Amino acid sequence: MSVAIVILGAAVWPGGAASPALARRIGYGLEAAGRWPDAPIFCSGGVGDHPPSEAAVMAAHLGRCGIAPERIVLDEDSRDTLENVVAAATFMRRSGLSRAVVCTDSYHVPRARMIFGQLGLEAEAGPVMPAGRGMAPGEWRRMVARERLAFPYDFAVTWLRRRELLEATKRA
């Protein structure tokens, strides 16, 4: 089964610095790159409040850590998790890949895996820190609460738009 490493975006801070969430996700991606040395690394995330794109920040950091540029694929247009996963699914289908290794924070993994599943692709959690590690307790609770709202919303959107989304991932 062919694998793609998918790093989901998070904020870029002023001056182009990775936010703590983005830095963690890049770290998870680097660990996954060592476990799956032949897998392409799909960096997903557009420009938010501060340039450059989340994907460009990921790619630059991966390159500084010795990842070959030909392994890195950029999606600089996605603005949220649903768009990240649709873009990754499109790349995966076009490349003949069938399983995603999702590199994101542990609170975020279930929603990303659910969306991949709705699009007919397997997804597994990449390397992640245990729940709440690497984050302030208040931030952890806030993000978990956000996911409790976002999961059913994205489930409903992907269920209602499933045919359209599947077609979009196959056309590109």
Side-chain angles (χ1 to χ4, degrees):
M1 193 172 298
S2 49
V3 172
I5 297 166
V6 177
I7 307 175
L8 299 179
V12 172
W13 283 4
S19 65
L22 186 56
R24 283 192 305 274
R25 294 172 187 194
I26 294 167
Y28 303 149
L30 280 167
E31 189 174 336
R35 290 185 194 178
W36 290 274
D38 297 325
I41 304 168
F42 189 84
C43 301
S44 189
V47 176
D49 292 338
H50 307 285
S53 71
E54 297 162 7
V57 172
M58 291 178 209
H61 189 87
L62 294 170
R64 286 191 300 274
C65 291
I67 300 296
E70 57 271 10
R71 283 186 73 186
I72 301 170
V73 179
L74 298 184
D75 158 38
E76 297 184 282
D77 297 322
S78 296
R79 299 166 304 203
D80 60 27
T81 303
L82 178 58
E83 289 182 7
N84 291 160
V85 174
V86 169
T90 301
F91 164 75
M92 290 172 64
R93 284 211 164 88
R94 191 176 8 151
S95 303
L97 305 170
S98 56
R99 191 177 83 218
V101 174
V102 181
C103 297
T104 189
D105 289 300
S106 60
Y107 62 80
H108 195 214
V109 169
R111 181 163 55 113
R113 289 186 66 205
M114 176 274 297
I115 297 169
F116 273 110
Q118 291 277 53
L119 297 176
L121 293 167
E122 290 184 42
E124 65 182 78
V128 297
M129 279 194 262
R133 300 277 301 278
M135 297 176 75
E139 179 70 5
W140 172 258
R141 285 190 297 275
R142 186 177 75 76
M143 297 311 293
V144 168
R146 179 175 169 246
E147 286 300 306
R148 285 189 180 140
L149 297 172
F151 189 101
Y153 176 82
D154 277 349
F155 179 85
V157 168
T158 55
W159 187 77
L160 291 169
R161 295 180 53 205
R162 187 168 190 267
R163 183 173 289 141
E164 169 197 345
L165 294 171
L166 282 170
E167 284 302 314
T169 65
K170 292 176 184 176
R171 275 195 310 266

